[in-house]
Amino acid sequence: MSPIPLRSIDDEEFAPWARMIADTYGMDRSEEELADQRAATDLGRTLAVFDEGVPVAGASVYSRVLTVPGGVLPVAGIASVGVAPTHRRRGFLTSMMRAQLTDLYEHRREPIAVLRPSEAGIYGRYGYGPATLGNQMRCDRRALRFRPDTDFGEGTVRVQHADQARPLLEKVYDQARTMAVGWPDRQAVHWAVRLADYPHRRGASTSLRFAVHQESDGRATGYTLYRHGSVPDGLGGSAGAVQVVELAALSRQAYAALWRFLAGIDLVTWIDYEGAVDEPLSHLLAEGRAVHASPVDRLWVRPVDVDRALAGRSYNLPLDLVLDVRDDFCPWNTGRHRLQSEGGTAVCEPTTAPADLCLTPAELGAAFLGGTTLSALSAAGRVEELRPGALSLASAAFRGEHEPWYPGGWAFPLY
């Protein structure tokens, strides 16, 4: 069988391409969804495989800006990745991954690639590592009693219409994201998809509600997006539930006030929310066990150009470290790299000096946002210490003040 070439798509090919990708996830695409996705898609950075004029595989790159330790960094958001069931195990996924990463490197585009995989076992082979965890929380609303010393501030929370709330949401988010490692920027096309409320996607839940926290002077300092729904009660019936889609706050008072608002919604037994691993909610409560949490991997990171990537973030400690990187998928990264950091400025470049640590880009990706530690990876046999003391220093230097967390939905670049 002769190979089927990869190529970009044009406007007329977008709809069948997008429907094919959605079908690989067992989903439909309405005309409204197609229009929103098309507005957010760069066709020049969208790959496809066609077999007799029919799209059978595809993947796309969405250029975003991501908050990393010490600042922000351009990233290549990888999404809309799929191969039709009729064309599996022909190497199309590997070919698309290789083409994307090679293009990023050769044209000096974004130094890291990020994605949120549908299955955790797929992308490690391409050098991606799990960099953030989401904390899936189920809160017993009846037990959400706040500590008596909780500071709720003087602001108010009001439910607003989508059109009225959106400008306030955008302002709050744009401030919040610069303080939260793992949060991407959102342009108008991303907000359109994030706030899209397609009826066929709601299931048995209601439309989105928009609750905004404002100070006495009118400044918006927080918001939450949520739906009303129900979950099985374990007895063959159902219990009322609030599904929190997103929550952002610029102060601890706004955060507490928003949770007080959610806890005050009547006819609800459970509140479901996916937050950060170090989410402060349980520490606000008189009974922290009212929050049941389970972590799950979310954003995966892949250094495409190791030197540019490592120089693009800051470190907690002064560093002079030589990394021996083994990168079979992107051979241009293979070799030793000297990472030096002092006073918030980092430099990374090739070197012939003796190595201190040996690892692959998957380990660098996992540790890049300051969550997964190099020490934990070493304990699993994935990082080799070549100079005594180098591991503990590097692990502490890479670590972030807070756990990195990605607040978006299942498809990273669109939210």
Side-chain angles (χ1 to χ4, degrees):
M1 180 181 296
S2 59
I4 304 177
L6 291 170
R7 66 171 176 85
S8 59
I9 64 175
D10 60 32
D11 232 359
E12 292 184 355
E13 295 168 331
F14 174 77
W17 175 89
R19 288 196 173 99
M20 179 274 300
I21 297 295
D23 190 58
T24 67
Y25 293 93
M27 302 168 64
D28 291 321
R29 279 283 187 267
S30 67
E31 292 300 320
E32 184 183 5
E33 285 177 288
L34 287 174
D36 288 340
Q37 186 179 356
R38 173 63 190 90
T41 300
D42 182 349
L43 298 185
R45 303 187 74 179
T46 298
L47 291 173
V49 176
F50 288 85
D51 188 359
E52 297 184 356
V54 177
V56 295
S60 197
V61 174
Y62 300 80
S63 185
R64 302 294 294 274
V65 175
L66 191 73
T67 300
V68 302
V72 296
L73 194 66
V75 300
I78 310 301
S80 300
V81 180
V83 179
T86 54
H87 287 69
R88 300 269 168 83
R89 295 175 178 82
R90 301 190 190 185
F92 292 152
L93 177 60
T94 296
S95 295
M96 292 188 297
M97 293 293 104
R98 194 182 303 280
Q100 285 180 330
L101 295 172
T102 300
D103 176 75
L104 291 173
Y105 177 73
E106 291 184 347
H107 292 91
R108 290 187 63 82
R109 300 186 192 268
E110 300 90 349
I112 63 172
V114 297
L115 52 78
R116 180 172 171 176
S118 57
E119 296 180 47
I122 297 176
Y123 293 96
R125 75 191 79 164
Y126 305 123
Y128 288 86
T132 78
L133 294 175
N135 215 23
Q136 294 183 327
M137 302 159 57
R138 172 155 287 181
C139 310
D140 185 344
R141 188 197 68 87
R142 298 160 299 183
L144 290 184
R145 297 184 300 275
F146 293 89
R147 292 167 52 91
D149 59 349
T150 302
D151 183 2
F152 296 103
E154 301 299 324
T156 58
V157 177
R158 290 189 174 88
V159 177
Q160 301 186 10
H161 186 273
D163 292 340
Q164 180 185 13
R166 178 168 169 172
L168 303 177
L169 270 54
E170 292 183 9
K171 289 181 180 179
V172 170
Y173 182 89
D174 210 38
Q175 293 180 65
R177 73 175 179 87
T178 63
M179 302 181 288
V181 171
W183 287 35
D185 69 321
R186 283 185 189 156
Q187 304 302 319
V189 291
H190 308 128
W191 275 107
V193 176
R194 183 53 166 161
L195 301 182
D197 201 14
Y198 314 118
H200 71 281
R201 292 287 190 91
R202 297 173 190 165
S205 300
T206 67
S207 58
L208 271 179
R209 273 51 169 166
F210 303 80
V212 180
H213 181 273
Q214 292 177 276
E215 304 298 336
S216 56
D217 61 3
R219 288 181 301 114
T221 52
Y223 66 83
T224 182
L225 314 178
Y226 66 97
R227 304 179 189 275
H228 290 274
S230 61
V231 295
D233 63 3
L235 300 173
S238 61
V242 164
Q243 301 161 3
V244 179
V245 175
E246 184 166 293
L247 188 149
L250 301 180
S251 69
R252 58 185 175 85
Q253 292 86 356
Y255 179 88
L258 287 165
W259 273 107
R260 180 176 62 178
F261 162 78
L262 292 167
I265 297 176
D266 290 331
L267 305 178
V268 168
T269 302
W270 303 105
I271 301 174
D272 290 339
Y273 173 58
E274 186 174 303
V277 171
D278 56 357
E279 194 75 27
L281 174 61
S282 61
H283 302 293
L284 290 174
L285 303 175
E287 177 51 80
R289 293 182 183 180
V291 179
H292 308 276
S294 177
V296 61
D297 65 284
R298 282 302 178 232
L299 206 61
W300 288 51
V301 172
R302 209 284 184 204
V304 179
D305 184 325
V306 165
D307 289 330
R308 291 171 57 215
L310 293 180
R313 56 152 292 179
S314 65
Y315 301 86
N316 288 329
L317 300 170
L319 274 181
D320 191 348
L321 186 73
V322 176
L323 304 171
D324 186 2
V325 178
R326 311 290 173 84
D327 193 343
D328 295 334
F329 200 71
C330 296
W332 55 81
N333 286 321
T334 295
R336 280 170 277 177
H337 304 258
R338 185 176 185 180
L339 173 61
Q340 296 174 292
S341 175
E342 182 75 42
T345 301
V347 176
C348 191
E349 55 192 5
T351 184
T352 58
D356 300 315
L357 299 177
C358 181
L359 71 177
T360 76
E363 287 75 60
L364 283 176
F368 187 80
L369 295 179
T372 307
T373 67
L374 293 172
S375 292
L377 294 167
S378 176
R382 296 181 54 179
V383 175
E384 181 183 1
E385 183 179 49
L386 303 175
R387 177 175 62 83
L391 177 63
S392 61
L393 175 64
S395 191
F398 271 75
R399 193 77 168 108
E401 180 182 358
H402 296 288
E403 291 291 332
W405 171 54
Y406 167 62
W410 72 274
F412 166 81
L414 296 184
Y415 282 0

